[in-house]
C-alpha cells in the first residue's frame, strides 16, 4: 500500500453554487487540512454560525501513478455529510461525522490535474446520530481530519486485524481485495523494536516470552502482513500489543492483575478551531491525561476519536473506552438506526488493533432501554471483535443489561456527604462487571476564575468520589466528568456556550481538581496546596479550610523559616484513597512561644488561635470559650491582650515577611517545596508544547501556554490581562489576535505554513513584550 496525503493547498468557500462544479471561484481562500469552516469565538456565539453548506476544492497530481493500480480516496473525518465529485464524476453523498469515509476512485483518477470537489453540509441532521434532539456538545463543521489517497496493486491486503493475548497467542484476520484468491501467499512478520521475532502463515500463532502491554510498560509490537505471489508484492503494517483486559463482577483485571480504574472523559474540541486539531494536539491531550492528570483510563465521550490520540494512548499506556456517537436520544427512523449500526462497525474496526482500548461503548450515552437496538448493537460489536467486552452507559437504575459490563453515570454527589452509590443499589445483575462512567460535572461546574472556595470545593468532591470508588471492591472504577471544559449548545453550560465541568479549562490549563487525580499516581512527586493562602479571599478574613494534594509521606510547614508543624495524610476523612489529602489545621504550632504561659498552656492556646485562623470565631465551641475565659483569669489578661496575641501570630506583618513554606517529604527526604508570600513581582510564564513545527502529512500545531505569575510561580487567578498576539514568517495564528487571560492563564494556537523557514510570535502586554522564535521544517 502507498499513501499520498492530500492535506495542503486546498481552496475553500462558504456556500455552494452549481457553477463551482465547473470552475473554482476566484474569491475562494487558500486553506490546509485539518480545517474548520469558521474560527469561532471562545464563548457567546450562536452555533448556527458554522452550520450550512461549504465547498472545498483540491487539484492534485498522483505520485507513482499506474493505471493498473487500485486507488481509494480516504477522508478520516468531516462533519456532517458531503457530496463528493472527482473529475466531474459524482460519487454520491456520504455521512462521516466521526467515521472515515473510503471511496474507490480507480476508474476516474488520472495522473495529473485531478479536480476534487467536496460539498460539505455541516447542518445537524436529525436522521443521523448524535442528532435528532438536543446534544450536550457541539459538532464543529469542517474537514477536520486528514485526507489521503491510498493505492494498491491488483491484489492486496487492505487491513489486518490482530489481537495478542498475555500468553503470546496471536489471532489475525486479513481483509483482502476481491481479486485476492490465493491467501496462501500471505505471510505475517512480527517485529519488536525493529527486530524480527516471528514469521508465520495462517490466522493463529503463538509467540514465546512476549513482553506484555500494560499501563507501566506499554510494549508494542509491529505486524507486517505481506502478500507475494512472485509477481505482485503488497504489504500492510500495524502495531499491536499482548494483553488481556477483562471486567469481572469483582472489578477490572489487566493481565490477570486487578486494577482500580481512575479516569476522566474527554471531548475532542478546542477553542476557536473546534475539531480541527492536528496530530500534535491529539498527542498533547493524551500526554496531559497520562502525565498531568495521572489517570489510567480515558473515555472518548461521546464518539470515536482521532487515530493519533489512540496511537498515543497505545504508546504511553493509557487505557481507553471508546464510544459511539450519541447523547440520550434514540432515533426511530430506519436511516438513523442504520447509521447507528454503521457507527458501531466503524468504531470497532478502527479500534481493533489498539491494545489501549479495553471495551467498546455500544449504547447511546444515557439513553432509555431499547432491546432491539442494543441487542443488535452488542452482536455487531462481538462479531467484529470477539476479544473486547462491550458496555452500555445509562443514568437510571436497574436497566436492561445486554452488554458485558453495566456502566452507570452516578451523579449522586450533590454534597460532600455523597460520593458514589453502592453497586447493589444500581444494578439488579451482580454477576457482571460494573463501572461508573461519569460523575460530578454539572453537579458542581467550576470556572478557573471562580472564587477559591468554589475551586477548592470542586477538587474536594472529586477526592470524595475517588475515595468511594476505592471503597467498593466490586466497582471496577470511576471516570469523572470531565477532563476539559468544552463548548456546548445554548441549552447547557453557563449560558456562554461553555460547560465548565473540566478539571482543566478549555485551554488545557489546570484547575485545583486536576491535582487530586495526579496525586493518586506515583510516577512523579506531587505537592499542591489547594489555596492561594490569602485570607482576604474569604469571608471575615479567616481561612475556611486548607488541604494539600500530594503523593508524598508528609508535609512540614514553616513560617519565616521557623518550623510550625508536620502534617500527615488524612486517612480519617479519605480512608480509601491511595494518597489521601492532607488537612492543614494548624498555622501556629511551635511558633507560639509566649513566655507568660506554661508549656502546656501554650499548646492549648495555640490550638485555639489556629482554630480561629482556620474557620473563624464562630467555630469556637462553648468549651473553647470557657478555656479562653479561664486563661484570662489565670494570667490576668484583658481583651486587648488577647487581640494582641492573635495579631502577633496571625495578623498582617507590616514588613510583608509572612513567608509560608510547605515542604513535602518522601522517605524522610525533602522532595518539593511550595512557597507563599505577598506577591510583589509579576511576569508572564510562557511555555511551548514544542520548540519546532514539523510539516508531515498535515501542517503542525503548537500550543503556547501563557500564565500571569508572581515570584513564587503562582498563577494570578483573577488576572484578565489583555494580550496582543502578533505572528510573522512561516506560521499563522489560529484564533483572535487580541485575547485576555481567563483565570490568570490562557493558551494560543500556532499553525505552520507549508514549506520551511522561521516563525516569530510576539506577545505584548502591560508587563512588556515577549518574543518566541520557532523553526518550521
Amino acid at each position: 500500500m502507498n499513501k499520498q496525503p492530500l492535506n495542503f493547498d486546498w481552496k475553500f468557500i462558504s456556500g455552494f453554487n452549481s457553477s463551482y462544479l465547473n470552475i473554482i471561484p476566484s474569491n475562494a481562500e487558500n486553506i490546509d487540512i485539518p480545517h474548520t469552516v469558521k474560527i469561532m469565538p471562545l464563548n457567546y456565539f450562536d452555533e448556527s454560525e458554522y452550520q450550512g453548506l461549504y465547498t472545498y476544492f483540491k487539484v492534485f497530481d498522483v505520485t507513482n501513478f499506474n493505471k493498473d493500480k487500485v486507488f481509494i480516496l480516504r477522508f478520516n473525518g468531516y462533519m456532517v455529510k458531503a457530496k463528493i465529485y472527482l473529475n466531474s464524476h459524482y460519487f454520491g453523498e456520504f455521512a462521516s461525522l466521526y467515521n472515515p469515509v473510503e471511496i474507490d476512485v480507480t476508474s476516474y483518477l488520472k495522473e495529473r490535474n485531478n479536480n476534487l470537489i467536496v460539498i460539505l453540509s455541516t447542518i445537524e441532521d436529525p436522521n443521523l446520530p448524535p442528532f435528532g434532539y438536543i446534544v450536550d456538545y457541539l459538532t464543529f463543521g469542517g474537514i477536520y481530519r486528514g485526507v489521503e489517497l491510498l493505492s494498491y496493486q491488483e491484489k492486496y491486503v487492505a487491513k489486518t486485524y490482530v489481537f495478542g493475548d498475555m500468553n503470546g497467542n496471536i489471532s489475525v484476520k486479513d481483509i483482502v481485495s476481491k481479486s485476492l484468491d490465493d491467501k496462501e501467499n500471505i505471510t505475517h512478520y512480527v517485529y519488536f523494536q525493529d527486530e524480527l521475532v516471528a514469521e508465520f502463515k495462517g490466522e493463529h500463532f503463538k509467540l514465546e516470552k512476549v513482553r506484555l502491554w500494560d499501563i507501566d510498560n506499554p510494549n508494542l509490537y509491529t505486524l507486517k502482513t505481506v502478500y507475494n505471489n512472485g509477481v505482485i508484492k503488497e504489504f500492510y503494517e500495524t502495531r499491536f500489543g499482548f494483553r488481556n483486559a477483562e471486567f469481572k463482577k469483582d472489578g477490572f483485571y489487566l493481565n490477570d492483575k486487578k486494577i482500580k480504574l481512575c479516569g476522566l472523559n474527554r471531548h475532542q474540541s478546542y477553542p476557536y478551531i473546534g475539531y480541527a486539531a492536528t496530530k500534535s494536539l491529539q498527542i498533547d491531550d493524551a500526554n496531559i491525561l497520562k502525565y498531568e492528570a495521572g489517570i489510567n483510563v480515558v473515555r472518548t465521550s461521546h464518539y470515536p476519536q482521532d487515530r493519533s490520540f489512540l496511537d498515543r494512548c497505545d504508546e504511553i499506556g493509557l487505557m481507553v473506552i471508546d464510544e459511539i456517537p450519541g447523547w440520550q436520544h434514540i432515533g426511530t427512523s430506519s436511516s438513523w438506526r442504520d447509521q447507528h449500526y454503521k457507527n458501531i462497525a466503524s468504531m470497532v474496526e478502527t479500534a481493533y488493533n489498539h491494545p489501549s482500548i479495553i471495551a467498546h461503548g455500544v449504547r447511546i450515552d444515557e439513553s432509555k432501554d431499547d432491546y432491539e437496538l442494543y441487542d443488535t448493537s452488542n452482536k455487531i460489536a462481538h462479531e467484529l471483535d470477539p476479544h473486547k467486552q462491550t458496555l452500555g452507559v445509562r443514568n437510571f437504575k436497574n436497566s436492561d443489561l445486554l452488554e458485558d459490563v453495566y456502566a452507570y453515570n452516578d451523579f449522586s454527589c450533590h454534597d460532600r456527604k455523597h460520593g458514589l452509590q453502592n453497586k447493589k443499589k444500581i444494578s439488579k445483575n451482580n454477576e457482571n462487571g460494573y463501572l461508573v462512567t461519569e460523575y460530578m460535572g454539572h453537579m458542581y461546574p467550576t470556572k478557573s476564575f471562580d472564587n477559591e472556595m468554589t475551586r477548592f470545593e470542586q477538587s474536594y468532591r472529586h477526592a470524595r468520589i475517588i475515595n468511594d470508588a476505592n471503597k467498593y471492591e466490586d466497582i471496577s472504577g470511576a471516570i469523572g466528568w470531565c477532563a476539559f471544559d468544552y463548548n456546548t449548545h445554548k441549552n447547557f453550560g453557563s449560558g456562554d456556550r461553555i460547560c465548565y465541568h473540566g478539571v482543566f479549562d478549555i485551554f488545557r490549563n489546570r484547575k485545583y481538581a486536576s491535582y487530586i487525580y495526579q496525586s493518586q499516581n506515583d510516577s512523579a512527586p506531587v505537592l499542591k496546596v489547594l489555596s492561594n493562602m490569602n485570607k482576604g479571599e474569604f469571608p471575615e478574613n479567616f481561612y475556611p479550610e486548607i488541604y494539600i494534594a500530594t503523593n508524598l509521606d508528609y508535609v512540614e510547614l514553616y513560617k519565616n523559616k521557623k518550623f510550625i508543624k508536620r502534617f500527615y495524610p488524612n486517612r480519617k476523612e479519605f480512608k480509601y484513597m491511595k494518597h489521601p489529602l492532607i488537612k492543614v489545621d494548624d498555622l501556629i504550632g511551635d511558633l507560639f512561644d509566649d513566655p507568660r504561659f506554661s508549656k502546656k498552656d501554650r499548646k492549648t492556646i495555640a490550638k485555639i488561635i489556629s482554630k480561629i485562623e482556620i474557620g473563624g470565631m464562630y467555630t469556637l465551641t462553648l468549651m473553647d470559650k470557657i478555656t479562653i475565659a479561664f486563661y484570662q483569669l489565670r494570667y490576668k489578661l484583658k481583651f486587648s491582650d488577647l487581640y494582641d496575641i492573635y495579631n502577633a501570630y496571625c495578623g498582617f506583618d507590616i514588613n510583608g515577611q509572612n513567608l509560608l513554606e510547605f515542604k513535602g517529604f518522601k522517605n524522610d527526604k525533602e522532595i518539593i517545596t511550595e512557597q507563599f508570600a505577598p506577591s510583589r513581582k509579576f511576569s508572564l510564564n510562557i511555555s511551548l508544547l514544542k520548540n519546532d513545527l514539523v510539516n508531515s502529512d498535515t501542517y503542525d500545531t503548537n500550543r503556547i501556554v501563557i500564565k500571569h505569575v508572581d515570584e513564587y510561580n503562582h498563577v494570578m487567578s483573577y488576572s484578565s490581562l489583555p494580550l496582543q498576539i502578533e505572528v510573522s514568517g512561516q506560521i499563522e495564528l489560529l484564533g483572535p489576535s487580541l485575547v485576555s487571560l481567563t483565570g490568570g492563564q490562557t493558551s494560543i494556537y500556532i499553525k505552520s505554513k507549508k514549506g520551511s523557514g522561521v516563525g516569530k510570535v510576539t506577545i505584548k502586554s502591560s508587563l512588556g513584550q515577549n518574543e518566541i522564535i520557532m523553526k518550521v521544517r
Side-chain angles (χ1 to χ4, degrees):
M1 180 191 75
N2 179 265
K3 181 180 75 172
Q4 179 181 342
L6 299 176
N7 297 310
F8 290 99
D9 301 323
W10 287 68
K11 295 282 188 177
F12 169 79
I13 193 168
S14 177
F16 171 72
N17 187 293
S18 58
S19 64
Y20 296 170
L21 296 176
N22 299 314
I23 188 169
I24 299 175
S26 59
N27 58 336
E29 62 179 296
N30 298 317
I31 62 100
D32 298 319
I33 306 296
H35 179 257
T36 185
V37 295
K38 186 172 184 179
I39 295 290
M40 301 301 295
L42 173 64
N43 54 9
Y44 292 112
F45 58 83
D46 190 331
E47 52 267 33
S48 65
E49 293 178 36
Y50 62 76
Q51 295 185 43
L53 284 180
Y54 301 87
T55 309
Y56 289 85
F57 309 87
K58 171 67 176 174
V59 177
F60 65 96
D61 298 335
V62 179
T63 58
N64 300 316
F65 180 81
N66 186 320
K67 63 181 182 179
D68 295 324
K69 284 189 175 183
V70 176
F71 291 92
I72 305 295
L73 179 64
R74 179 185 176 97
F75 295 86
N76 285 296
Y78 55 75
M79 187 63 66
V80 171
K81 57 186 180 182
K83 295 179 179 179
I84 309 296
Y85 291 81
L86 179 65
N87 297 330
S88 301
H89 179 78
Y90 176 56
F91 286 88
E93 186 174 49
F94 304 86
S96 171
L97 299 126
Y98 302 97
N99 303 325
V101 171
E102 293 187 350
I103 305 169
D104 188 334
V105 296
T106 305
S107 300
Y108 303 93
L109 199 69
K110 53 187 181 180
E111 185 172 5
R112 299 190 182 280
N113 295 317
N114 292 280
N115 186 19
L116 173 62
I117 300 174
V118 179
I119 306 167
L120 181 69
S121 171
T122 63
I123 300 169
E124 298 181 2
D125 187 339
N127 291 311
L128 299 172
F131 309 119
Y133 194 56
I134 55 175
V135 182
D136 180 22
Y137 53 93
L138 294 184
T139 54
F140 296 96
I143 303 178
Y144 67 91
R145 292 177 185 163
V147 183
E148 53 210 22
L149 182 68
L150 308 178
S151 61
Y152 306 89
Q153 297 190 65
E154 178 188 1
K155 295 184 178 184
Y156 63 91
V157 178
K159 187 167 185 176
T160 299
Y161 296 114
V162 55
F163 172 77
D165 69 18
M166 62 179 292
N167 297 314
N169 295 304
I170 301 174
S171 300
V172 297
K173 180 169 63 175
D174 298 315
I175 307 301
V176 302
S177 61
K178 292 181 180 179
S179 59
L180 197 158
D181 53 5
D182 50 342
K183 283 192 173 184
E184 65 272 12
N185 289 319
I186 293 177
T187 306
H188 300 287
Y189 301 88
V190 182
Y191 295 85
F192 181 74
Q193 298 179 347
D194 296 326
E195 179 186 352
L196 179 64
V197 295
E199 174 184 338
F200 67 95
K201 291 180 178 290
E203 297 183 345
H204 302 285
F205 184 78
K206 182 166 184 177
L207 182 62
E208 302 295 337
K209 298 180 180 179
V210 296
R211 295 171 173 87
L212 299 183
W213 185 97
D214 63 32
I215 57 177
D216 297 317
N217 297 289
N219 292 301
L220 291 173
Y221 287 73
T222 298
L223 179 72
K224 187 174 183 179
T225 300
V226 177
Y227 170 77
N228 188 350
N229 67 358
V231 178
I232 297 175
K233 186 176 182 179
E234 278 280 7
F235 73 91
Y236 178 85
E237 193 169 283
T238 186
R239 295 190 307 186
F240 73 104
F242 291 94
R243 64 107 183 99
N244 285 13
E246 185 177 7
F247 290 86
K248 300 181 181 180
K249 65 178 182 180
D250 65 332
F252 172 76
Y253 290 80
L254 181 64
N255 301 328
D256 287 347
K257 178 183 178 182
K258 189 173 183 180
I259 294 176
K260 183 68 72 170
L261 297 178
C262 180
L264 291 165
N265 287 269
R266 182 223 184 202
H267 271 304
Q268 68 174 15
S269 58
Y270 293 79
Y272 313 128
I273 60 175
Y275 282 173
T278 59
K279 179 179 179 179
S280 290
L281 294 184
Q282 303 291 342
I283 291 173
D284 183 35
D285 266 14
N287 288 343
I288 290 171
L289 295 170
K290 174 73 175 184
Y291 300 117
E292 291 188 40
I295 60 174
N296 59 24
V297 65
V298 57
R299 175 172 168 244
T300 65
S301 52
H302 299 289
Y303 38 77
Q305 298 185 6
D306 194 273
R307 284 184 300 174
S308 298
F309 178 77
L310 299 179
D311 285 342
R312 186 57 178 166
C313 292
D314 289 341
E315 293 165 358
I316 61 179
L318 179 59
M319 293 181 286
V320 180
I321 294 172
D322 60 2
E323 189 170 68
I324 52 170
W327 192 74
Q328 294 189 344
H329 171 71
I330 297 176
T332 56
S333 68
S334 58
S335 59
W336 194 100
R337 296 167 87 88
D338 287 346
Q339 184 63 46
H340 168 81
Y341 297 140
K342 291 178 183 177
N343 290 342
I344 293 175
S346 178
M347 176 186 71
V348 172
E349 289 169 349
T350 300
Y352 197 108
N353 296 346
H354 291 281
S356 59
I357 296 180
I358 58 174
H360 296 303
V362 298
R363 178 184 174 118
I364 301 293
D365 181 71
E366 296 186 348
S367 60
K368 64 183 180 181
D369 287 340
D370 186 322
Y371 186 91
E372 178 188 10
L373 185 73
Y374 293 135
D375 181 57
T376 303
S377 301
N378 200 52
K379 288 177 180 176
I380 291 172
H382 279 307
E383 287 172 2
L384 291 173
D385 185 356
H387 306 290
K388 294 184 183 71
Q389 291 174 295
T390 59
L391 58 80
V393 176
R394 62 272 287 159
N395 61 350
F396 56 96
K397 300 178 181 180
N398 296 320
S399 166
D400 292 337
L401 179 62
L402 301 174
E403 305 83 22
D404 302 311
V405 183
Y406 194 102
Y408 180 68
N409 292 347
D410 188 338
F411 292 111
S412 59
C413 49
H414 57 85
D415 59 23
R416 287 191 177 188
K417 295 180 180 178
H418 298 84
L420 297 178
Q421 297 190 67
N422 192 317
K423 167 186 173 181
K424 296 178 177 61
K425 295 182 178 180
I426 305 301
S427 173
K428 56 190 175 184
N429 188 329
N430 291 315
E431 295 303 311
N432 292 71
Y434 177 88
L435 176 68
V436 174
T437 36
E438 293 181 30
Y439 58 80
M440 272 293 283
H442 68 279
M443 302 301 291
Y444 205 84
T446 302
K447 304 172 184 67
S448 59
F449 49 91
D450 273 335
N451 67 67
E452 184 178 303
M453 289 188 292
T454 299
R455 287 181 284 126
F456 168 72
E457 183 68 20
Q458 183 201 31
S459 67
Y460 185 96
R461 293 192 185 195
H462 275 275
R464 177 76 172 83
I465 295 168
I466 291 172
N467 184 70
D468 269 14
N470 289 329
K471 178 175 71 174
Y472 297 115
E473 287 290 330
D474 54 357
I475 292 182
S476 296
I479 304 174
W481 189 264
C482 57
F484 313 117
D485 294 344
Y486 58 97
N487 290 120
T488 189
H489 285 87
K490 59 187 177 182
N491 315 77
F492 306 96
S494 295
D496 63 348
R497 300 303 196 276
I498 297 180
C499 265
Y500 296 94
H501 297 174
V503 301
F504 295 82
D505 70 15
I506 197 170
F507 295 103
R508 278 54 177 171
N509 295 319
R510 286 184 179 276
K511 302 178 192 177
Y512 282 156
S514 67
Y515 292 100
I516 301 299
Y517 289 87
Q518 188 183 26
S519 67
Q520 301 310 295
N521 189 298
D522 289 317
S523 59
V526 178
L527 188 156
K528 180 60 181 177
V529 180
L530 303 174
S531 172
N532 60 21
M533 298 306 294
N534 289 313
K535 287 195 295 182
E537 165 81 2
F538 310 108
E540 300 183 49
N541 207 44
F542 297 117
Y543 297 108
E545 53 196 340
I546 303 170
Y547 284 85
I548 300 172
T550 185
N551 54 11
L552 302 178
D553 297 336
Y554 59 85
V555 173
E556 291 184 348
L557 174 59
Y558 293 78
K559 183 175 182 180
N560 298 327
K561 304 299 181 180
K562 295 181 179 179
F563 178 75
I564 293 178
K565 190 175 179 180
R566 178 180 289 180
F567 301 93
Y568 290 91
N570 185 358
R571 296 204 171 275
K572 180 179 179 181
E573 214 171 344
F574 302 99
K575 180 179 179 180
Y576 301 99
M577 286 182 77
K578 182 178 181 180
H579 297 292
L581 301 187
I582 288 178
K583 184 174 184 178
V584 177
D585 57 3
D586 188 350
L587 295 178
I588 309 300
D590 290 356
L591 287 182
F592 189 70
D593 56 359
D594 194 316
R596 290 177 291 179
F597 306 101
S598 69
K599 184 177 180 180
K600 179 180 178 182
D601 289 346
R602 284 201 296 267
K603 288 185 177 181
T604 303
I605 294 171
K607 287 181 179 179
I608 294 175
I609 295 174
S610 285
K611 196 170 186 179
I612 297 171
E613 179 77 337
I614 306 175
M617 293 290 295
Y618 295 105
T619 62
L620 295 180
T621 64
L622 177 60
M623 183 55 66
D624 292 330
K625 295 174 183 178
I626 292 173
T627 302
I628 292 172
F630 171 76
Y631 287 139
Q632 280 187 279
L633 291 173
R634 169 180 279 191
Y635 293 104
K636 297 180 174 55
L637 300 174
K638 301 176 184 179
F639 180 79
S640 59
D641 295 325
L642 297 176
Y643 184 80
D644 290 341
I645 290 171
Y646 177 83
N647 273 339
Y649 294 94
C650 303
F652 297 102
D653 187 333
I654 60 174
N655 296 315
Q657 297 301 312
N658 287 332
L659 174 64
L660 292 176
E661 294 179 288
F662 294 85
K663 298 183 178 183
F665 291 80
K666 187 75 173 179
N667 299 323
D668 294 323
K669 181 181 179 181
E670 183 180 335
I671 304 297
I672 308 176
T673 297
E674 188 172 10
Q675 297 180 320
F676 295 86
S679 303
R680 290 185 176 83
K681 298 178 181 179
F682 305 93
S683 61
L684 292 182
N685 182 315
I686 299 175
S687 59
L688 283 67
L689 171 61
K690 56 201 305 186
N691 294 322
D692 297 337
L693 295 175
V694 181
N695 291 320
S696 55
D697 289 354
T698 70
Y699 62 86
D700 202 0
T701 314
N702 212 342
R703 180 169 68 98
I704 301 177
V705 179
I706 307 168
K707 298 181 180 180
H708 192 178
V709 299
D710 65 6
E711 61 267 49
Y712 303 102
N713 205 36
H714 293 297
V715 175
M716 303 294 95
S717 302
Y718 304 123
S719 172
S720 55
L721 182 72
L723 305 174
Q724 181 69 44
I725 313 297
E726 298 174 358
V727 299
S728 61
Q730 202 64 24
I731 57 174
E732 295 177 11
L733 175 67
L734 295 172
S737 59
L738 180 62
V739 299
S740 293
L741 301 181
T742 54
Q745 53 192 349
T746 192
S747 297
I748 60 173
Y749 298 89
I750 303 295
K751 74 177 287 283
S752 59
K753 295 179 182 179
K754 183 182 179 181
S756 60
V758 175
K760 182 171 78 171
V761 181
T762 303
I763 303 170
K764 297 179 179 179
S765 72
S766 60
L767 295 175
Q769 180 171 306
N770 301 80
E771 292 186 352
I772 302 167
I773 303 296
M774 60 185 75
K775 294 180 180 179
V776 178
R777 50 191 173 87

